[in-house]
Amino acid sequence: MPYRLSPLAAVLFTVLLAPCAQALQAGESAPALGGVEAGRVVYVDFWASWCVPCRKSMPALEALYRKHGAAGFAVVGVNKDVNEDDSRRFLQRVPVTFTLVKDADDGLARSFGVKAMPSGYLVDRRGIVRRVHRGFTDATAAELDEEIQSLLREPR
């Protein structure tokens, strides 16, 4: 399965130009996300085939994307696998329809300051990180659903 690139994914690659030394925190601007797919709430998720919690997070993110996509929510899955065959096998077992990009050289992960797998960054319509999720549990999906709904209700 080839990676699908959207305008949002293309702009994410520009994140490589401005790496940060520390992990992004809520309230900080997301790297290079401003103005991309204007007005969308975006969840940037760093995942890998070897990541056990990712087996739970990917289907949950797909469900949230299907539930809220029409209202202005997008997911960008950033794959950390070095071997593309590993991610391909994973996606055959856990298919998703949201945008996927590859980050085998860790440029995007460095830009976001990823410290754990999976790591997710919920970005509001103005490009501000509103929530950082490290790891993924059963409770994370419910929390994320509420956070997404809250951000989608905020005025543009």
Side-chain angles (χ1 to χ4, degrees), residues 24 37 61 79 85 99 108:
L24 283 179
E37 300 212 7
L61 292 174
N79 180 252
D85 289 338
T99 300
L108 291 172

Side-chain angles (χ1 to χ4, degrees):
M1 165 185 261
Y3 288 98
R4 296 173 300 280
L5 294 178
S6 70
L8 176 62
V11 172
L12 277 174
F13 282 116
T14 64
V15 170
L16 296 172
L17 301 176
C20 15
Q22 300 180 39
L24 283 179
Q25 301 296 318
E28 296 179 335
S29 294
L33 288 176
V36 177
E37 300 212 7
R40 294 186 75 75
V41 172
V42 181
Y43 192 75
V44 182
D45 179 63
F46 290 85
W47 69 279
S49 63
W50 47 262
C51 165
V52 175
C54 295
R55 295 178 197 150
K56 190 176 288 190
S57 67
M58 293 292 277
L61 292 174
E62 175 67 12
L64 290 168
Y65 174 62
R66 288 178 182 259
K67 179 178 179 180
H68 299 295
F73 174 65
V75 177
V76 177
V78 183
N79 180 252
K80 300 285 299 118
D81 284 308
V82 174
N83 182 337
E84 194 169 328
D85 289 338
D86 293 339
S87 60
R88 188 175 293 115
R89 280 189 297 273
F90 180 93
L91 291 168
Q92 286 173 343
R93 291 188 314 270
V94 185
V96 297
T97 59
F98 54 77
T99 300
L100 298 172
V101 296
K102 188 140 181 67
D103 189 34
D105 69 354
D106 286 333
L108 291 172
R110 281 192 306 274
S111 294
F112 277 82
V114 172
K115 302 294 183 196
M117 291 296 288
S119 283
Y121 300 82
L122 185 60
V123 180
D124 69 15
R125 297 175 195 270
R126 297 175 326 227
I128 304 298
V129 175
R130 297 292 287 274
R131 185 74 151 86
V132 178
H133 290 273
R134 292 189 178 89
F136 200 91
T137 66
D138 291 332
T140 307
E143 290 171 17
L144 188 52
D145 189 22
E146 290 177 19
E147 293 161 1
I148 293 164
Q149 289 181 59
S150 176
L151 290 177
L152 289 172
R153 283 191 298 267
E154 288 184 358
R156 293 179 186 239

